[in-house]
Amino acid sequence: MSKKIKNHQIFEIYQEIKGKRIYTKSIVKGTPFSERVVRDGGVDYREFEPRRSKLAAAIVKGAHNIGIRKGDVILYLGASHGYTCSYLSDVVGEEGLIFGIDPAPRVMRDFVFLAENRKNLVPMLSNANHPEEYVDKVCLVDIVYQDIAQKNQAEIFIKNCKMFLKKDGYGLLAVKARSIDVKRKPKGIFNEIRQELEKEFIVADFKSLEPFQLDHCMIIVKKK
Amino acid sequence: MKYLFTSIVGSFVFDNNFNLVEEVRFKKGKLSGKSVEEGLKKKYKDLKKVPEEKLGEVLAFLKKKDYFTQFYNQNLVLTKKKIKSSVSEDLLIIQAISNYIELDKVCNLLSRRLREWYSWYLPEFAESLEDNEKFTELIVERSKKDLMKELGIEDTMGSDLGKEDVREMILLGNEILSLHSLRKKHEDYLQKIMKTYCPNLLALAGVTIGAKLFELGRSLKHLAMLPASTIQLLGAEKALFRHIKTGSKSPKYGVIINHPLIQNAKKQERGKVARSLADKLILCIRLDYFKGEFKALEYKKDLEEKFGQ
């Protein structure tokens, strides 16, 4: 049988030989989000949909370096049901660890069921706006990933990066322009946030997520 | 000088250069370490809390494979506990009112179908009665002949269906009636739960409007933090954002439009009534949230006097 899957230029991400769909190698059995699965050489590859995840959208749009490798520890703010988290847990593998934080009990419930299958997902019911509340529940991390629809999302990101991100660690911020201001044009908002982040970090990459996610962008930064 | 740091994993004592002196790991399910901390404080006399700028070094120390399973286990237990304790009256009210609204929709849909169906059998009766619930009740209870006698007609346009064909309609009618009774039970339940949880809001807004405010405002706490103008427009978000974006006319009211005070007001005065009603509503909500006294009836009287009813 011929091979269907090849390596993507990003670590631990895979790609169809024909077509542009991206995949991750599943570390446990089952499809929690009823996603498409491709079986190749006895291994299950789960499809990573850019319309459902901002990280996947950024990768499809051509982000070269997302900074995430096998065995990393990730702080994930705004974990929600855990769609993106489940793929990140594939990426970091069993040696890695992901702290998933969300303030809403309803979505955390789904996340707990997911975490019971995947031993590298840590569910935490806390508010990312108050990092001092969960400082005794996490450790220093390699990556901070944030996807929160709040007005002060940049401020929350900077606060968390200062506290928990290691030196030279990467931060990924998905900005939703509509929750900052519905009236203004997204481009202006993105530039403003970029400038705000440039004061604290080195901005490594900037990708708008059209057409997969409306009025969103992904900013990848590196801590000085 | 030594530093003490207690995490969800255990208690740690560090020296000046942040080398580990002693660690006490917690067992699974044990989430606070007060007794351990006190024991350590007795053992080492000059223990200090870790200053904020040094937290990074402690957190870096904790980033070891050794601790990962414990982070996982402890946080899982803690999160489950938090989710368990997060169920409140707000949630119950929101679920009940959501189902109440859905039952409304379903009842209307099924009643319309029943009416259409029954019209082939006895169109004159289906035409004469507007109220869905009464209509269903009557056709389930009485036969075609009785109904024709009541209407005072001898002949009908409807065809003479067989017994089996009529039975299906009656079965659907029974189903609709049971849905209506469930809806009423929900209403009673909401009344009961809101009477203890938010008596002021219940007295001024009524059951459905009060509960709908909960649905949109998520919780009593969140509602109490909102300004009155937001309460006025809860449920009119679409119109409001259209107004902000394109400059069309601003909406005057959201879900409170169904309140009798607004319904009975003159057309030119409706916006004014909505504004003052929202003012009083937010006062009521704050009284309920901070467990104040019962003042809703006073407010209601004020409003009624002001707008001449």
Side-chain angles (χ1 to χ4, degrees):
Chain A
M1 216 172 76
S2 65
K3 270 190 97 175
K4 293 180 215 158
I5 300 278
K6 66 175 180 188
N7 283 350
H8 193 266
Q9 57 175 345
I10 293 170
F11 292 99
E12 298 300 318
I13 302 267
Y14 299 88
Q15 192 182 358
E16 272 178 337
I17 285 181
K18 284 175 191 169
K20 279 183 178 170
R21 291 199 177 99
I22 53 171
Y23 296 83
T24 60
K25 200 191 265 179
S26 185
I27 54 167
V28 286
K29 275 185 181 171
T31 54
F33 299 95
S34 51
E35 62 271 39
R36 243 172 56 111
V37 172
V38 173
R39 189 162 254 274
D40 191 20
V43 187
D44 280 351
Y45 293 91
R46 302 195 301 136
E47 190 192 343
F48 198 9
E49 252 187 80
R51 290 205 182 272
R52 292 182 71 179
S53 166
K54 274 144 223 159
L55 181 65
I59 292 171
V60 171
K61 287 282 285 188
H64 298 296
N65 186 6
I66 55 169
I68 304 170
R69 315 231 169 154
K70 208 166 195 174
D72 273 357
V73 182
I74 301 179
L75 180 67
Y76 193 115
L77 307 168
S80 183
H81 297 267
Y83 183 79
T84 310
C85 268
S86 77
Y87 290 95
L88 283 178
S89 113
D90 284 347
V91 170
V92 298
E94 268 148 20
E95 306 91 64
L97 198 66
I98 297 168
F99 296 101
I101 292 178
D102 207 287
R106 172 66 189 86
V107 291
M108 217 7 122
R109 214 169 66 206
D110 289 356
F111 193 72
V112 166
F113 286 123
L114 191 73
E116 273 173 348
N117 284 329
R118 293 170 176 269
K119 300 284 178 209
N120 57 5
L121 284 183
V122 181
M124 284 162 67
L125 189 73
S126 313
N127 193 340
N129 214 344
H130 306 289
E132 62 281 353
E133 271 176 21
Y134 52 87
V135 68
D136 58 341
K137 297 179 185 93
V138 297
C139 62
L140 206 71
V141 296
D142 303 311
I143 311 278
V144 173
Y145 182 101
Q146 183 184 303
D147 176 10
I148 297 178
Q150 287 291 323
K151 203 169 183 186
N152 58 345
Q153 36 190 301
E155 187 194 319
I156 296 174
F157 183 68
I158 292 169
K159 220 166 17 178
N160 276 288
C161 280
K162 268 188 183 166
M163 226 159 167
F164 302 115
L165 191 59
K166 72 166 187 188
K167 212 185 158 216
D168 293 336
Y170 280 89
L172 290 87
L173 172 65
V175 184
K176 182 182 178 187
R178 284 284 167 254
S179 57
I180 291 173
D181 200 329
V182 280
K183 237 171 138 184
R184 282 169 56 199
K185 281 193 176 153
K187 233 179 186 174
I189 298 173
F190 295 154
N191 279 335
E192 206 171 79
I193 287 190
R194 195 178 167 162
Q195 277 163 12
E196 206 175 311
L197 291 179
E198 262 165 4
K199 284 178 208 160
E200 313 275 340
F201 313 101
I202 304 160
V203 175
D205 206 345
F206 174 90
K207 285 274 176 295
S208 121
L209 304 184
E210 305 268 342
F212 304 110
Q213 313 268 347
L214 271 182
D215 301 333
H216 280 78
C217 80
M218 174 76 81
I219 304 176
I220 301 174
V221 300
K222 202 173 173 190
K223 199 175 181 183
K224 278 174 192 169
Chain B
M1 199 166 64
K2 290 187 177 63
Y3 295 111
L4 176 71
F5 183 76
T6 303
S7 148
I8 200 163
V9 178
S11 282
F12 302 87
V13 179
F14 297 96
D15 67 7
N16 246 344
N17 297 325
F18 286 93
N19 295 316
L20 187 69
V21 179
E22 190 176 339
E23 64 166 358
V24 183
R25 302 273 285 268
F26 295 157
K27 277 175 199 155
K28 195 183 171 182
K30 193 189 166 200
L31 296 168
S32 92
K34 272 202 177 144
S35 54
V36 176
E37 254 184 4
E38 270 165 26
L40 284 172
K41 266 180 194 163
K42 268 178 201 164
K43 202 169 163 190
Y44 302 94
K45 278 187 184 141
D46 50 348
L47 274 181
K48 264 195 171 181
K49 258 193 169 179
V50 181
E52 221 167 271
E53 60 271 15
K54 296 280 182 192
L55 261 176
E57 298 192 34
V58 177
L59 291 173
F61 173 80
L62 285 172
K63 194 189 152 197
K64 279 181 189 148
K65 271 236 83 190
D66 202 19
Y67 299 118
F68 283 2
T69 30
Q70 212 168 353
F71 267 126
Y72 172 78
N73 287 331
Q74 300 282 60
N75 269 316
L76 197 64
V77 172
L78 185 71
T79 308
K80 278 182 180 173
K81 234 183 210 170
K82 274 186 181 170
I83 291 175
K84 190 173 183 177
S85 63
S86 72
V87 180
S88 61
E89 271 103 336
D90 298 319
L91 261 169
L92 298 175
I93 290 174
I94 288 168
Q95 292 295 336
I97 188 67
S98 301
N99 199 31
Y100 178 87
I101 294 166
E102 263 151 34
L103 280 175
D104 246 7
K105 276 182 198 160
V106 171
C107 279
N108 269 332
L109 192 73
L110 292 179
S111 297
R112 257 195 355 244
R113 166 66 52 216
L114 181 66
R115 212 175 256 272
E116 195 61 37
W117 199 341
Y118 199 78
S119 299
W120 296 112
Y121 184 49
L122 185 57
E124 286 82 359
F125 181 62
E127 198 67 6
S128 70
L129 201 57
E130 283 270 305
D131 188 4
N132 279 336
E133 200 181 346
K134 223 170 210 174
F135 170 79
T136 319
E137 244 171 51
L138 284 175
I139 66 162
V140 167
E141 275 171 13
R142 296 182 196 177
S143 68
K144 187 178 180 180
K145 268 183 191 168
D146 291 343
L147 287 172
M148 275 167 76
K149 224 179 249 170
E150 239 170 66
L151 286 170
I153 46 173
E154 280 167 10
D155 202 22
T156 150
M157 282 193 280
S159 79
D160 301 315
L161 296 175
K163 237 183 189 175
E164 272 184 13
D165 303 323
V166 179
R167 204 191 60 202
E168 294 301 310
M169 288 186 238
I170 305 290
L171 284 177
L172 174 60
N174 279 327
E175 246 3 89
I176 294 173
L177 284 181
S178 78
L179 284 181
H180 272 293
S181 80
L182 177 60
R183 193 166 144 264
K184 222 155 258 160
K185 272 176 200 160
H186 277 337
E187 203 175 336
D188 294 343
Y189 168 74
L190 276 172
Q191 184 114 27
K192 207 173 123 196
I193 205 170
M194 282 168 79
K195 192 146 203 179
T196 51
Y197 188 52
C198 48
N200 282 304
L201 180 62
L202 179 67
L204 184 55
V207 182
T208 27
I209 295 174
K212 273 180 189 170
L213 286 178
F214 266 100
E215 198 198 2
L216 293 160
R218 299 202 291 275
S219 71
L220 190 61
K221 186 186 172 189
H222 190 238
L223 274 177
M225 308 280 183
L226 293 175
S229 51
T230 309
I231 299 281
Q232 187 187 343
L233 293 184
L234 273 183
E237 284 85 358
K238 208 175 162 188
L240 176 69
F241 285 114
R242 199 198 310 127
H243 162 67
I244 295 174
K245 259 189 179 168
T246 67
S248 59
K249 275 187 182 172
S250 66
K252 297 191 207 68
Y253 21 64
V255 288
I256 59 169
I257 188 177
N258 287 327
H259 196 278
L261 268 171
I262 296 182
Q263 287 291 316
N264 297 334
K266 287 176 215 152
K267 209 178 173 190
Q268 308 94 296
E269 255 186 1
R270 279 187 165 190
K272 213 183 248 180
V273 181
R275 181 158 41 81
S276 4
L277 178 63
D279 283 348
K280 298 295 186 215
L281 276 175
I282 191 68
L283 285 177
C284 285
I285 291 166
R286 283 175 193 160
L287 278 175
D288 289 332
Y289 180 61
F290 296 107
K291 301 273 176 281
E293 64 240 86
F294 186 74
K295 269 189 169 174
L297 291 180
E298 269 174 51
Y299 295 151
K300 204 172 182 180
K301 219 171 150 192
D302 281 357
L303 285 172
E304 273 164 5
E305 270 170 22
K306 198 172 173 188
F307 296 105
Q309 277 164 29

